[in-house]
Amino acid sequence: MASGDDSPIFEDDESPLYSLEKMTDLVAVWDVDLSDGVHKIEFEHGTTSGKRVVYVDGKEEIRKEWMFKLVGKETFCVGAAKTKATINIDAVSGFAYEYTLEINGKSLKKYMESRSKTTNTWILNLDGEDFRVVLEKDTMDVWCNGKTMETAGEFVDDGTETHFNVGNHDCYIKAVSSGKRKEGIIHTLIVDNKVIPEITK
């Protein structure tokens, strides 16, 4: 395939998982925390061959060979919501390069700071299985282990409750006012009538 176009070699889900022996030009690795889970992004940059390869969760998303321009950008999608990600390749000095990751147009650090204000995350173990529950406060979407949950909202005396099930367990996220303007609304996950502590960010 010609190296100049932006489309990945693999159009379907048949792309092979990478082998660590083949990743000789690995220059950067990032962990990106999204609602559907934590995704590992790896980037190979062959400064002598002009090769650029992007892996998301071990799956090859982009492969370009013989790129004569060693600086530039590679844009791709991450996660179930197809979140836009861009790796920027910049020359620092001589043949040294800097690699930065942007998520939805923001640096990874700024994106994660913003995300910590708009989501709540809980980790729990039910029936011997680990679950990661994420509330997106701006949309009130609830995610569990990478899937959006079917929810039902209900107004109660002191706020709202968003009900859903994880397996045979009744769960809800209770939203109540903190009474303080700077704190805003407090969200609490309750599973089988027990409060689950939120993970700290």
Side-chain angles (χ1 to χ4, degrees):
M1 174 178 231
S3 62
D5 67 358
D6 289 332
S7 62
I9 291 175
F10 302 99
E11 296 295 329
D12 55 16
D13 289 331
E14 297 300 313
S15 62
L17 290 176
Y18 63 78
S19 157
L20 287 177
E21 295 98 42
K22 294 179 184 174
M23 295 183 70
T24 56
D25 294 320
L26 184 66
V27 292
V29 178
W30 297 274
D31 289 324
V32 180
D33 190 357
L34 300 177
S35 293
D36 66 334
V38 178
H39 299 277
K40 180 173 275 207
I41 297 173
E42 296 166 290
F43 182 57
E44 286 185 60
H45 188 217
T47 55
T48 54
S49 66
K51 174 178 77 171
R52 295 182 190 176
V53 186
V54 175
Y55 298 95
V56 176
D57 298 328
K59 184 179 170 197
E60 189 175 293
E61 293 295 322
I62 296 174
R63 175 176 287 272
K64 294 181 180 177
E65 303 282 352
W66 304 109
M67 298 286 293
F68 293 108
K69 187 174 181 189
L70 294 176
V71 295
K73 297 179 179 201
E74 293 299 335
T75 300
F76 52 97
C77 294
V78 179
K82 302 281 186 212
T83 303
K84 180 183 170 189
T86 301
I87 296 173
N88 295 303
I89 308 154
D90 297 302
V92 179
S93 65
F95 287 101
Y97 297 91
E98 180 179 74
Y99 308 94
T100 55
L101 179 66
E102 292 179 357
I103 303 294
N104 280 342
K106 296 179 184 173
S107 72
L108 180 59
K109 183 180 180 198
K110 289 229 183 274
Y111 176 79
M112 296 312 290
E113 286 170 358
S114 169
R115 184 167 173 70
S116 71
K117 296 173 188 168
T118 61
T119 61
N120 291 78
T121 304
W122 298 269
I123 304 290
L124 58 145
N125 187 293
L126 299 172
D127 305 322
E129 189 177 346
D130 289 330
F131 293 93
R132 180 177 180 271
V133 176
V134 177
L135 168 67
E136 292 182 352
K137 293 188 261 190
D138 52 351
T139 61
M140 292 305 288
D141 286 341
V142 176
W143 292 74
C144 182
N145 287 3
K147 296 182 172 56
T148 53
M149 302 299 292
E150 190 82 27
T151 62
E154 177 183 352
F155 289 102
V156 292
D157 288 340
D158 54 351
T160 63
E161 294 178 354
T162 303
H163 292 263
F164 59 99
N165 290 317
V166 174
N168 295 325
H169 299 272
D170 293 325
C171 310
Y172 65 94
I173 296 172
K174 187 168 185 93
V176 296
S177 173
S178 66
K180 298 174 185 165
R181 189 172 181 187
K182 285 201 176 227
E183 286 181 39
I185 297 174
I186 297 171
H187 296 88
T188 307
L189 174 63
I190 298 164
V191 178
D192 297 333
N193 295 318
K194 293 181 191 142
V195 173
I196 306 300
E198 182 181 0
I199 63 170
T200 55
K201 299 170 188 166

